[in-house]
Amino acid sequence: MSFTLLVAGIAHETPQQVVTRYNNYKAICNGIGFEKVNCKDPKIDTIAFQSTLTKHLVNLKSHETVIFEKVSLNEGKAYDKTSGIFTAPSDGIYSFTWTTLTKTGKTFITDIVRNGEMIIRNFSDGRGRDGYAMSTSHANIKMKKGDKVWIRAHGTWGQYADGGEWCFFSGVKL
């Protein structure tokens, strides 16, 4: 019975009374700490890429960029497949993973760098073993809009990376 009276009472409110009641509720919610949160548009806010290496890389120079040229995902268009560089479109924490595969007797050591500064390394070591050696590294990096991240050869240790799409570089904004 009270529900019916409440609905009936609300149905007879003037537009001004509805606005007043809304503003009162809003003031109460703000007073206890609730904030208005807008929904994110996933088409605008999603930043993610996945790229692979299709060509074998042999004897890279020190600090030479490893270009993962086949891109299967590039939401936000932040990864450049011609330069191998990811450019942050907005401030935030970004999560990157890369995997390299080298063959018997060879090494492939890489760094992930932000604006030229080494963050962490990956070491694929095929010396002293039969078959291929694979390794994966991961880094969460705080970035500002316009910061750049890429994978580069460490010293002269970029001897061989298999290009059969076994090596990849990916990232996502958290």
Side-chain angles (χ1 to χ4, degrees):
M1 185 73 158
S2 62
F3 177 72
T4 307
L5 292 174
L6 181 61
V7 172
I10 292 173
H12 296 296
E13 288 182 313
T14 67
Q16 184 57 40
Q17 289 171 319
V18 171
V19 170
T20 300
R21 190 161 43 90
Y22 168 78
N23 287 334
N24 288 340
Y25 286 137
K26 184 177 171 184
I28 292 168
C29 290
N30 288 340
I32 59 174
F34 287 99
E35 297 178 22
K36 180 181 177 185
V37 177
N38 292 324
C39 295
K40 292 183 176 181
D41 182 348
K43 294 176 187 169
I44 295 171
D45 295 324
T46 301
I47 306 298
F49 75 96
Q50 175 75 33
S51 57
T52 55
L53 186 65
T54 61
K55 302 171 190 167
H56 299 312
L57 300 180
V58 180
N59 297 325
L60 295 185
K61 296 174 189 155
S62 182
H63 293 184
E64 186 174 339
T65 301
V66 178
I67 300 172
F68 299 83
E69 77 284 357
K70 183 177 179 183
V71 177
S72 57
L73 175 70
N74 200 4
E75 291 295 317
K77 302 192 184 338
Y79 180 74
D80 182 347
K81 69 179 183 176
T82 58
S83 69
I85 296 174
F86 172 86
T87 304
S90 59
D91 293 1
I93 307 278
Y94 292 81
S95 182
F96 299 96
T97 302
W98 77 106
T99 295
T100 57
L101 177 74
T102 194
K103 65 182 179 178
T104 301
K106 299 293 182 181
T107 60
F108 201 75
I109 303 175
T110 52
D111 305 324
I112 190 167
V113 293
R114 176 188 55 217
N115 301 328
E117 175 189 356
M118 194 276 294
I119 304 295
I120 196 166
R121 291 197 173 107
N122 180 316
F123 187 10
S124 294
D125 189 356
R127 297 174 298 176
R129 66 181 329 142
D130 290 331
Y132 288 82
M134 179 181 275
S135 67
T136 299
S137 289
H138 182 86
N140 292 321
I141 303 174
K142 187 172 185 176
M143 300 179 71
K144 294 184 187 258
K145 182 178 180 176
D147 281 355
K148 297 182 182 310
V149 163
W150 64 94
I151 305 299
R152 71 180 181 195
H154 177 77
T156 57
W157 294 96
Q159 295 174 347
Y160 178 85
D162 192 82
E165 297 187 39
W166 290 95
C167 301
F168 71 87
F169 178 35
S170 64
V172 63
K173 182 178 183 186
L174 301 178

